[in-house]
Amino acid sequence: MALECDVTSCCPAVPGWSQLPGPGDPQQGLGMAWGWDLEKEVVKFRKKLKESLPGSDWDPLGTTKGLPPEQADVVIVGGGVMGWSVAYWLKALEPRRDALRVVVIEKDPTYSRASTVLSAGGIRQQFSVPENIQMSLYSAFFLRTINEHLGVVNEPPVDIQFNPSGYLFLASEDGAAKLENNVRIQRAEGAEVSLLSPAQLKKKYPWINTDGVAVASYGLENEGWFDPWSLLNAFRRKAMSMGVYQCFGEVISFTVSSREIMMPEGELTFSRINYVRVQMPNSLEYQPVECSLVVNAAGPWSRKLAEMAGVGIGPPDTQEGIKLPVEPRKRYIFVWHCPDGPGLDCPILVDTTGAYFRREGLGGNYLGGLSPAEEEEPDIQDLEVDHDFFQEKIWPYLAHRVPVFESLKVKSAWAGYYDYNTFDQNAVLGPHPLVENMLFITGFSGHGLQQSPAAGRAVAELILEGKFKTINVEKFSFQRFISGEQVLERNIV
Amino acid sequence: RQCGAFTRRPYGSGTSPDPQKGGILQYLCNWFCDIEYLVGWSAKLRYRNLRRKNAYYGYTKDIYGDNVAAAFFVLSHRGRVRFQGQETWFCPDQRGKYSSDFLQLRDVPVVAIDLTGSVLNYDGLDNLVKLTALKSLDLSHCLHIDDWTLSRLHVFKDSLEELSLAGCPQVTERGLACLHQLEHLRRLDLSHLPSVATPGLIRILVEEMLPGCEVVGLGPRDGLAPISGTQTSRDGREEPSVPSEDRRAGEIPA
């Protein structure tokens, strides 16, 4: 700090004076007689002067760094790929430059528990709901032209390292009709998917054991896997270059104002979020951010955030009492090595049992996992990996389907959270009917990353234009929890 | 924070890179918003031009059919095209002019296309995907062919016998993985692919993936810079005779 310390250099007292040089010492400059190196002192003085002038970091009163602005138009809670996607699209689609002040608030700067970065990174169009297929197709188009969208001047181009190897879904006798129906829907939406009989499957991929497989569907284009961290950073870099504020902090509460309105079905409480209280990391200090819209992109923790705004707080049989049905579910991914495994043409294979795996790199490594049954859901307290799950549940299925996987060696594993929608395993997009200015973009149940560009665009269009323009995702609104209509996604991995 | 022209942008394009490396334009971009926008617009204009050049020849397709439309597309990109049953290739001359004889060959399928050095990209393939009898496709030195484009080549799986991707800078091993669909492929030219990191290993994997196909290129010395002292090969074992990176120029080896 400039003024606090270092008296010795300003007034060359003890250290400089104690070593008086001799007359014949050749290394002294001007002022040598006083043991005072003039050049060094001049440099130090100039440095201190520069620090004390305006435009430097010096701050005598000690303001906290990293506080969000006191007022913002849109506050996005959650700095994962969804939050940054909404931030980017808000800036890309806004009618005038700097029309909106957008702040993205993220709890964890290291992203150690973020679902985005722990994801396997797959993208597929093989869904059963047409809107899901359209969102994935749009996202594939976005990822293909990512440098046109997210390229920043004079920065290196974005490389998400996309592997266009496709998804291969296997179906047994029971699921064959469902699979063929799904493929019909997918083709109608424009996805390139082919159906394979067991004989064709065996010919194409000799390492598969086709026992128990009645039909398979293979995505020919726009399917594969990529690096989620690169996508997140690309969104973040571009959004910040367009003026989005990033704040690391935790939302502790909302300041909500509400009023009761008599509706035909009874008295309802409509509320508005006026302030968002953001607490700084490792500190008790918080900043109330005055905002007009809050976007809930908190992923697995969306329900907790929604409850802060009053969503789900109320008598169970009323509209106020309907909670956001999104909860964290822990999913494991295991990485193993198998020397004679499937080669370069290995797709993401999803077995009849739900176990999936894909090739990772070129060294004979594979990664995969399995979504457990409802009653066997692991504890969500932490992200510890249960290796017995692989031994008992995943390995038998893998070894049955791919005989070479009988001898494999697990190299590592990690766990991450799905923001699992317990109602129908599909996204929640759009506003809450009672909390007027909270919008949801959560509940993707494992297929969020691949729909993030499309979902972000949908919510940004809703904010800026009032309706969905590119893809109509009205189906995924919060209203369906109130009316009870499920939009079931049958093809969940 | 932003007040019109000539303001320094605090949240501007990432970190400020070294001005000496980028030159005067880089320096100006870092200091002035307007220059940054102009550079951004010129990039957008380049993308738009590329899209225009790869536009879909729908009108020609409606009138003359898929094969003639594809031939027209190829010829207007200064490529060469050959029809079934014909020995000679249709190609434009020095000044880009070509005869319209190919318009007579309405229902004759196209069997060979040579688009070396063209600006073909993912969208441009719209013009070629309907060619069911295509046997030979030469896409060497096309700068805009990337992994996504390769994933579209599955439409030729029943007929394509020869494919050349030599010298395409955006093709990586991830795109090569989706060539397994081309079952009838006999010859695959993969020389001088600078973005493929470990050519020797990829060659082995591609040969395993396509057993009946002859893979040209991707040898141990393929695609690397000529021996001049600074070698950027990732796998040091592939080049035992090349001087290593940490030896300074002019130093006598120990």
XYZ file of all heavy atoms in Angstrom, chain B residues 200-252:
391
model
N 0.426 -41.076 -36.996
C 0.700 -42.504 -37.078
C -0.399 -43.324 -36.417
O -0.905 -44.304 -36.970
N -0.791 -42.907 -35.218
C -1.833 -43.630 -34.480
C -3.164 -43.557 -35.207
O -3.890 -44.548 -35.332
C -1.955 -43.017 -33.076
C -3.044 -43.592 -32.184
C -2.791 -45.062 -31.952
C -3.072 -42.846 -30.868
N -3.471 -42.372 -35.746
C -4.749 -42.203 -36.451
C -4.785 -43.090 -37.681
O -5.815 -43.670 -38.015
C -4.957 -40.730 -36.839
C -4.968 -39.850 -35.616
C -6.227 -40.545 -37.619
C -6.121 -40.091 -34.713
N -3.642 -43.232 -38.338
C -3.613 -44.075 -39.535
C -3.966 -45.516 -39.184
O -4.761 -46.161 -39.867
C -2.222 -44.019 -40.158
C -2.174 -44.665 -41.495
C -0.765 -45.096 -41.845
N -0.817 -45.938 -43.027
C -0.476 -45.532 -44.244
N -0.037 -44.307 -44.428
N -0.559 -46.345 -45.262
N -3.394 -45.997 -38.084
C -3.684 -47.371 -37.659
C -5.164 -47.511 -37.323
O -5.834 -48.463 -37.723
C -2.841 -47.725 -36.413
C -1.368 -47.713 -36.774
C -3.232 -49.072 -35.856
C -0.479 -47.849 -35.580
N -5.713 -46.509 -36.602
C -7.119 -46.604 -36.200
C -8.045 -46.524 -37.409
O -9.057 -47.229 -37.480
C -7.443 -45.483 -35.209
C -6.778 -45.630 -33.849
C -6.992 -44.376 -33.018
C -7.302 -46.827 -33.104
N -7.697 -45.684 -38.381
C -8.549 -45.567 -39.572
C -8.477 -46.850 -40.391
O -9.492 -47.312 -40.935
C -8.153 -44.336 -40.414
C -8.878 -44.309 -41.740
C -8.445 -43.066 -39.659
N -7.292 -47.443 -40.472
C -7.180 -48.694 -41.232
C -7.975 -49.813 -40.580
O -8.568 -50.651 -41.260
C -5.707 -49.096 -41.362
C -4.988 -48.314 -42.437
C -3.502 -48.584 -42.458
O -2.993 -49.238 -41.542
O -2.855 -48.130 -43.410
N -8.005 -49.783 -39.234
C -8.821 -50.784 -38.527
C -10.292 -50.554 -38.770
O -11.087 -51.478 -38.872
C -8.584 -50.662 -37.018
C -7.575 -51.612 -36.476
C -7.340 -51.358 -34.995
O -8.254 -50.850 -34.307
O -6.230 -51.664 -34.564
N -10.661 -49.284 -38.838
C -12.062 -48.918 -38.973
C -12.583 -49.251 -40.374
O -13.722 -49.645 -40.544
C -12.149 -47.409 -38.724
C -13.499 -46.829 -38.663
S -13.368 -45.139 -38.104
C -12.994 -44.310 -39.625
N -11.728 -49.056 -41.385
C -12.122 -49.294 -42.776
C -11.216 -50.383 -43.323
O -10.201 -50.091 -43.945
C -11.952 -48.006 -43.593
C -12.866 -46.844 -43.246
C -12.365 -45.581 -43.916
C -14.280 -47.125 -43.686
N -11.565 -51.632 -43.114
C -10.628 -52.701 -43.467
C -10.332 -52.827 -44.957
O -9.228 -53.139 -45.338
C -11.308 -53.978 -42.941
C -12.665 -53.587 -42.529
C -12.770 -52.129 -42.444
N -11.317 -52.510 -45.822
C -11.052 -52.727 -47.243
C -10.476 -51.516 -47.935
O -10.433 -51.451 -49.166
N -10.047 -50.540 -47.171
C -9.701 -49.261 -47.779
C -8.208 -49.009 -47.696
O -7.562 -49.334 -46.702
C -10.457 -48.156 -47.039
S -10.101 -46.535 -47.660
N -7.659 -48.411 -48.747
C -6.242 -48.063 -48.739
C -6.105 -46.621 -48.242
O -6.654 -45.697 -48.829
C -5.712 -48.176 -50.175
C -4.258 -47.796 -50.318
C -3.933 -47.339 -51.737
O -4.771 -47.563 -52.634
O -2.874 -46.741 -51.935
N -5.396 -46.437 -47.170
C -5.244 -45.098 -46.598
C -3.905 -44.522 -47.023
O -2.853 -45.100 -46.756
C -5.331 -45.158 -45.050
C -5.094 -43.784 -44.459
C -6.676 -45.694 -44.617
N -3.951 -43.407 -47.699
C -2.734 -42.756 -48.182
C -2.452 -41.565 -47.278
O -3.353 -40.804 -46.939
C -2.940 -42.278 -49.636
C -1.748 -41.490 -50.113
C -3.216 -43.463 -50.534
N -1.225 -41.405 -46.923
C -0.912 -40.255 -46.077
C -0.938 -40.662 -44.620
O -1.040 -41.821 -44.269
N -0.862 -39.706 -43.735
C -0.809 -39.928 -42.282
C 0.370 -40.807 -41.912
O 0.321 -41.579 -40.981
C -2.089 -40.605 -41.760
C -3.325 -39.736 -41.671
C -4.444 -40.526 -41.043
C -3.073 -38.499 -40.849
N 1.462 -40.675 -42.681
C 2.654 -41.409 -42.296
C 3.378 -40.674 -41.200
O 2.966 -39.601 -40.775
N 4.473 -41.226 -40.722
C 5.187 -40.584 -39.614
C 5.723 -39.204 -39.947
O 5.756 -38.328 -39.108
C 6.345 -41.526 -39.310
C 6.156 -42.715 -40.150
C 5.051 -42.492 -41.102
N 6.104 -38.971 -41.208
C 6.646 -37.663 -41.529
C 5.605 -36.757 -42.148
O 5.912 -35.650 -42.532
C 7.791 -37.817 -42.539
C 9.056 -38.194 -41.861
C 10.210 -38.191 -42.859
N 11.415 -38.490 -42.136
C 12.195 -37.567 -41.615
N 11.908 -36.315 -41.767
N 13.258 -37.908 -40.926
N 4.405 -37.257 -42.267
C 3.410 -36.525 -43.044
C 2.847 -35.345 -42.265
O 2.558 -35.457 -41.088
C 2.267 -37.473 -43.409
C 1.304 -36.805 -44.356
O 1.706 -36.564 -45.490
O 0.189 -36.510 -43.928
N 2.724 -34.235 -42.909
C 2.040 -33.114 -42.277
C 2.910 -32.303 -41.351
O 2.491 -31.281 -40.818
N 4.148 -32.718 -41.137
C 4.998 -31.954 -40.226
C 5.780 -30.913 -41.002
O 5.981 -31.035 -42.197
C 5.968 -32.891 -39.511
C 5.284 -33.980 -38.690
C 6.309 -34.932 -38.152
C 4.500 -33.361 -37.556
N 6.239 -29.903 -40.297
C 7.020 -28.850 -40.961
C 8.346 -29.422 -41.430
O 8.850 -30.382 -40.834
C 7.261 -27.713 -39.970
N 8.919 -28.887 -42.482
C 10.233 -29.380 -42.925
C 11.275 -29.161 -41.840
O 11.164 -28.248 -41.038
C 10.558 -28.533 -44.163
C 9.542 -27.481 -44.229
C 8.399 -27.838 -43.346
N 12.278 -30.056 -41.834
C 13.244 -30.062 -40.739
C 14.037 -28.765 -40.779
O 14.866 -28.543 -41.650
C 14.200 -31.260 -40.889
C 13.372 -32.545 -40.830
C 15.241 -31.252 -39.796
C 14.133 -33.762 -41.273
N 13.800 -27.890 -39.819
C 14.539 -26.626 -39.798
C 14.930 -26.249 -38.386
O 15.229 -25.125 -38.086
C 13.683 -25.515 -40.394
O 12.499 -25.419 -39.647
N 14.844 -27.211 -37.481
C 15.288 -26.913 -36.122
C 14.144 -26.797 -35.145
O 14.248 -27.202 -34.009
N 13.017 -26.249 -35.529
C 11.907 -26.153 -34.581
C 10.832 -27.133 -35.000
O 10.133 -26.945 -35.963
C 11.311 -24.740 -34.570
O 11.047 -24.366 -35.921
C 12.253 -23.756 -33.938
N 10.717 -28.201 -34.273
C 9.782 -29.269 -34.642
C 8.592 -29.238 -33.703
O 8.769 -29.148 -32.497
C 10.505 -30.612 -34.528
C 9.739 -31.764 -35.121
C 9.286 -31.510 -36.527
O 8.157 -31.133 -36.775
N 10.177 -31.684 -37.469
N 7.407 -29.279 -34.248
C 6.249 -29.199 -33.354
C 5.520 -30.527 -33.225
O 4.355 -30.583 -32.915
C 5.248 -28.161 -33.878
O 4.991 -28.452 -35.250
C 5.800 -26.772 -33.727
N 6.197 -31.622 -33.492
C 5.527 -32.918 -33.347
C 5.261 -33.209 -31.880
O 6.107 -33.015 -31.031
C 6.422 -33.990 -33.942
O 6.080 -35.236 -33.402
N 4.058 -33.670 -31.581
C 3.722 -33.914 -30.181
C 4.365 -35.186 -29.671
O 4.772 -35.279 -28.541
C 2.208 -34.048 -30.036
C 1.599 -32.784 -29.582
C 0.293 -33.070 -29.001
N -0.667 -32.062 -29.427
C -1.952 -32.119 -29.186
N -2.450 -33.132 -28.567
N -2.755 -31.180 -29.575
N 4.420 -36.165 -30.536
C 4.965 -37.435 -30.103
C 6.415 -37.502 -30.510
O 6.739 -37.713 -31.663
C 4.159 -38.555 -30.765
C 4.531 -39.905 -30.214
O 5.430 -39.950 -29.367
O 3.932 -40.875 -30.637
N 7.275 -37.297 -29.579
C 8.700 -37.201 -29.907
C 9.258 -38.476 -30.502
O 10.216 -38.444 -31.244
N 8.617 -39.596 -30.196
C 9.194 -40.850 -30.666
C 9.075 -41.028 -32.165
O 9.752 -41.817 -32.767
C 8.496 -42.032 -29.987
C 8.989 -42.241 -28.590
C 8.145 -43.215 -27.887
N 6.784 -42.725 -27.825
C 5.765 -43.480 -27.492
N 5.939 -44.747 -27.226
N 4.547 -42.996 -27.445
N 8.192 -40.276 -32.776
C 7.994 -40.482 -34.211
C 9.165 -39.958 -35.014
O 9.365 -40.352 -36.140
C 6.744 -39.749 -34.679
C 5.475 -40.452 -34.272
C 4.268 -39.621 -34.636
O 4.434 -38.601 -35.297
O 3.175 -39.981 -34.233
N 9.921 -39.032 -34.499
C 10.961 -38.370 -35.285
C 12.284 -38.440 -34.557
O 12.745 -37.459 -34.012
C 10.605 -36.894 -35.498
C 9.373 -36.685 -36.375
C 9.668 -36.993 -37.827
O 10.767 -36.626 -38.279
O 8.838 -37.605 -38.496
N 12.906 -39.563 -34.518
C 14.151 -39.632 -33.749
C 15.287 -38.853 -34.385
O 16.195 -38.415 -33.714
C 14.476 -41.129 -33.714
C 13.747 -41.697 -34.880
C 12.543 -40.847 -35.100
N 15.240 -38.623 -35.695
C 16.374 -37.969 -36.329
C 16.232 -36.465 -36.373
O 17.140 -35.756 -36.745
C 16.519 -38.494 -37.759
O 15.301 -38.263 -38.436
N 15.076 -35.956 -35.983
C 14.863 -34.505 -36.062
C 15.419 -33.849 -34.810
O 15.226 -34.355 -33.720
C 13.358 -34.218 -36.190
C 13.055 -32.749 -36.099
C 12.846 -34.782 -37.509
N 16.082 -32.726 -34.935
C 16.605 -32.073 -33.717
C 15.482 -31.659 -32.798
O 14.440 -31.215 -33.236
C 17.352 -30.846 -34.254
C 16.964 -30.712 -35.672
C 16.510 -32.040 -36.144
N 15.684 -31.810 -31.515
C 14.605 -31.560 -30.548
C 14.436 -30.076 -30.318
O 15.290 -29.259 -30.641
C 14.899 -32.265 -29.232
O 16.076 -31.742 -28.678
N 13.283 -29.715 -29.706
C 12.938 -28.295 -29.593
C 13.853 -27.539 -28.664
O 14.026 -26.357 -28.786
C 11.520 -28.136 -29.045
C 10.448 -28.531 -29.992
C 9.516 -29.569 -29.401
O 9.151 -29.416 -28.224
O 9.192 -30.509 -30.100
N 14.387 -28.249 -27.658
C 15.093 -27.455 -26.666
C 16.544 -27.196 -27.045
O 17.287 -26.633 -26.292
C 14.998 -28.106 -25.285
C 15.289 -29.588 -25.379
O 15.703 -30.036 -26.452
O 15.083 -30.283 -24.385
N 16.907 -27.572 -28.235
C 18.267 -27.255 -28.661
C 18.247 -25.929 -29.380
O 17.492 -25.707 -30.296
C 18.767 -28.368 -29.585
C 20.255 -28.290 -29.809
C 20.679 -29.170 -30.927
N 20.448 -30.567 -30.622
C 20.523 -31.534 -31.535
N 20.805 -31.236 -32.777
N 20.304 -32.784 -31.209
N 19.109 -25.036 -28.970
C 19.125 -23.724 -29.628
C 19.773 -23.851 -30.995
O 20.615 -24.696 -31.227
C 19.950 -22.722 -28.805
C 19.532 -22.588 -27.381
C 18.501 -21.462 -27.219
N 18.107 -21.341 -25.838
C 17.230 -22.146 -25.244
N 16.656 -23.103 -25.906
N 16.933 -21.985 -23.971
N 19.438 -22.961 -31.883
C 20.027 -22.973 -33.225
C 21.509 -22.652 -33.126
O 21.901 -21.712 -32.432
C 19.322 -21.935 -34.095
N 22.297 -23.445 -33.796
C 23.725 -23.157 -33.809
C 24.498 -23.868 -32.719
O 25.717 -23.862 -32.729
N 23.772 -24.485 -31.786
C 24.476 -25.177 -30.695
C 24.991 -26.504 -31.182
O 24.338 -27.199 -31.935
C 23.487 -25.450 -29.568
C 23.848 -24.763 -28.295
C 22.823 -25.087 -27.236
O 22.646 -26.278 -26.952
O 22.188 -24.156 -26.747
N 26.126 -26.866 -30.708
C 26.675 -28.172 -31.096
C 26.087 -29.211 -30.151
O 26.154 -29.052 -28.934
C 28.210 -28.154 -30.988
C 28.752 -27.060 -31.919
C 28.792 -29.506 -31.361
C 30.195 -26.735 -31.656
